[in-house]
Amino acid sequence: MKKILAPSLLAGDHSCLKDSLLIVDQDGRNWIHLDIMDGHFVPNLSFGPQTVADLRKHSNIFFDVHLMLDQPQKYIEPFAQAGADLISIHVEPEYDIPDALEKIRSLGKKAGIVLNPDTAVEEVFPYLNDVELVLCMTVNPGFGGQSFIESVLAKVRALVALRSEREESFLIEVDGGVGPEHVPACLDAGVDVFVAGTAYFKGDKEARDEFAASIET
């Protein structure tokens, strides 16, 4: 299974997000990760559907949209219409998760389920038949620049084992504090998709390409 580097637009230049998107596109990456934060489920705000729609006009890259929201089910359709390719929702808030996942897929989008570092991996097990991706947060969500929590890789290993046992095909993604130094351990654990923000955008093109090559080859 080919591994994927998904740069996180949250770490780009917010005065001109289009330029950050184009850097990722022109670097030849296939995915970009867009963190949507509401100031309630996480203590920060990012961007809404209109920003995603405006960015969509400038690139056909795969939009991996991560809803860090108290009530994600209310925003699935707006983000689907804005151009999301995959919409991931958290397991922690109180809402009808099966219904929300069904809504994502009914709109022709891929569905993902997300768990925070302190959430037991078993919490996502009931939804694995209904998703194309499981995102294991490797920091507490809300802000960039945090340190990678390596103990989360135990959850990745558990998901890899269960995926093999059930003969399923969902991807396993990590997001938070991911840098080149974490790639070997993540690959060993079985990570498929690597979200990287600060570590990606802080480098020049040569550094970005080296980071991608360590994952994608």
Side-chain angles (χ1 to χ4, degrees), residues 85-89 100-102 104-105 109-113 130-134:
D85 294 295
L86 182 150
I87 299 174
S88 295
I89 56 177
L101 292 172
E102 173 58 30
I104 293 169
R105 301 182 78 173
K109 309 301 179 180
K110 296 183 184 300
I113 193 76
D130 302 315
V131 299
E132 283 77 30
L133 178 141
V134 179

Side-chain angles (χ1 to χ4, degrees), residues 142-187:
F143 293 98
Q146 298 181 60
S147 297
F148 182 86
I149 302 172
E150 191 159 352
S151 60
V152 171
L153 294 180
K155 298 178 185 179
V156 172
R157 294 186 185 93
L159 288 164
V160 168
L162 193 61
R163 179 174 64 185
S164 177
E165 178 185 322
R166 295 187 181 183
E167 298 183 343
E168 293 178 347
S169 58
F170 57 84
L171 299 174
I172 301 170
E173 181 176 62
V174 290
D175 176 10
V178 178
E181 67 274 23
H182 304 116
V183 170
C186 288
L187 288 172

Side-chain angles (χ1 to χ4, degrees), residues 22-63:
L22 293 178
I23 286 171
V24 174
D25 203 341
Q26 292 163 8
D27 280 353
R29 305 284 77 79
N30 295 316
W31 285 39
I32 193 162
H33 188 83
L34 297 104
D35 285 310
I36 312 301
M37 300 184 289
D38 63 0
H40 296 282
F41 179 62
V42 293
N44 203 355
L45 295 165
S46 59
F47 20 83
Q50 186 60 55
T51 301
V52 174
D54 289 345
L55 290 168
R56 180 84 282 177
K57 298 171 187 175
H58 300 284
S59 175
N60 292 319
I61 197 170
F62 188 90
F63 275 16

